[in-house]
């Protein structure tokens, strides 16, 4: 059986800002400049300098708005992180990475297609062979996203993307 073309891991963390800073500064490849592929809000150019504190605050805004309404102390690990790495034999274009990120966001429920109040997210290309998707787990309408088996669904989306891509190349 051939090795998977894409390797996907999902985890949670406490600080959106610390995660974004780590992703942008701790690149595996010193010759690669990390870039912001896209966000939940269209129009952020990937070439511009990005202020990670501002991006983290924007991603976390639904959580900050939820706190006063509920009066509850939020649980820890509110930032969702999906890392996807391609095998050395697979070269993906920026458009491929973008399409894959949207597939994973849809499959996991972070940003289902057509849901205008879904979670806020940012897709970053942190190496030639890797993207990282960062999202908060509170939707823009203030509700918690329903994450059940999100890593399984992310892996299924990666497998489907690999199969569809292989079929289109033939």
């Amino acid at each position: 059986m051939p090795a998977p073309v894409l390797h996907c891991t999902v985890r949670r963390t406490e600080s959106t800002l610390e995660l974004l800073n780590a992703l942008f500064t701790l690149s595996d490849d010193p010759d690669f400049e990390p870039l912001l592929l896209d966000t939940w809000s269209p129009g952020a150019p990937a070439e511009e300098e990005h202020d990670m504190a501002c991006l983290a605050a924007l991603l976390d805004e639904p959580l900050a708005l939820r706190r006063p309404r509920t009066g509850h102390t939020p649980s820890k690990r509110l930032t969702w992180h999906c890392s996807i790495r391609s095998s050395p034999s697979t070269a993906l274009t920026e458009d491929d990475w973008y399409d894959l990120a949207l597939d994973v966001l849809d499959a996991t429920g972070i940003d289902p297609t057509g849901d205008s109040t879904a979670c806020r997210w940012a897709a970053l290309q942190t190496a030639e062979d890797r993207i990282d998707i960062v999202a908060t787990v509170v939707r823009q309408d203030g509700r918690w996203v329903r994450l059940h088996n999100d890593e399984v669904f992310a892996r299924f989306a990666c497998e489907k993307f690999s199969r569809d891509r292989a079929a289109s190349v033939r």
Side-chain angles (χ1 to χ4, degrees):
M1 185 155 111
V5 176
L6 298 168
H7 177 71
C8 172
T9 58
V10 173
R11 59 184 75 81
R12 301 262 189 97
T13 187
E14 291 182 32
S15 172
T16 306
L17 179 57
E18 287 177 16
L19 175 61
L20 289 172
N21 282 332
L23 292 173
F24 262 82
T25 58
L26 300 176
S27 179
D28 297 344
D29 183 0
D31 297 328
F32 185 81
E33 182 73 28
L35 62 102
L36 183 63
L37 284 175
D38 202 8
T39 66
W40 77 98
S41 178
E47 294 80 30
E48 289 184 12
E49 284 290 318
H50 296 284
D51 178 0
M52 291 302 113
C54 181
L55 180 57
L58 288 170
L59 285 169
D60 289 341
E61 193 173 76
L63 173 64
L65 294 174
R66 180 179 164 69
R67 283 183 187 143
R69 271 199 329 239
T70 63
H72 294 115
T73 302
S75 61
K76 300 204 184 279
R77 300 177 10 170
L78 295 170
T79 303
W80 184 86
H81 174 211
C82 179
S83 179
I84 305 168
R85 188 175 291 269
S86 65
S87 66
S89 62
T90 307
L92 297 178
T93 65
E94 194 174 305
D95 288 339
D96 290 335
W97 284 119
Y98 172 77
D99 292 341
L100 175 59
L102 293 181
D103 290 349
V104 168
L105 289 162
D106 182 41
T108 57
I110 294 290
D111 188 9
T113 303
D115 186 348
S116 62
T117 60
C119 298
R120 293 183 177 192
W121 56 270
L124 313 142
Q125 186 171 5
T126 53
E128 287 288 336
D129 64 345
R130 177 179 170 165
I131 63 165
D132 290 277
I133 306 168
V134 176
T136 52
V137 297
V138 174
R139 298 166 40 91
Q140 293 190 73
D141 60 10
R143 295 181 296 139
W144 292 99
V145 67
R146 299 191 74 171
L147 291 176
H148 182 68
N149 291 327
D150 50 326
E151 185 164 20
V152 172
F153 289 123
R155 287 181 179 170
F156 285 158
C158 288
E159 290 171 11
K160 182 181 182 316
F161 181 86
S162 295
R163 282 193 310 274
D164 292 351
R165 190 169 182 277
S168 69
V169 171
R170 291 182 194 166

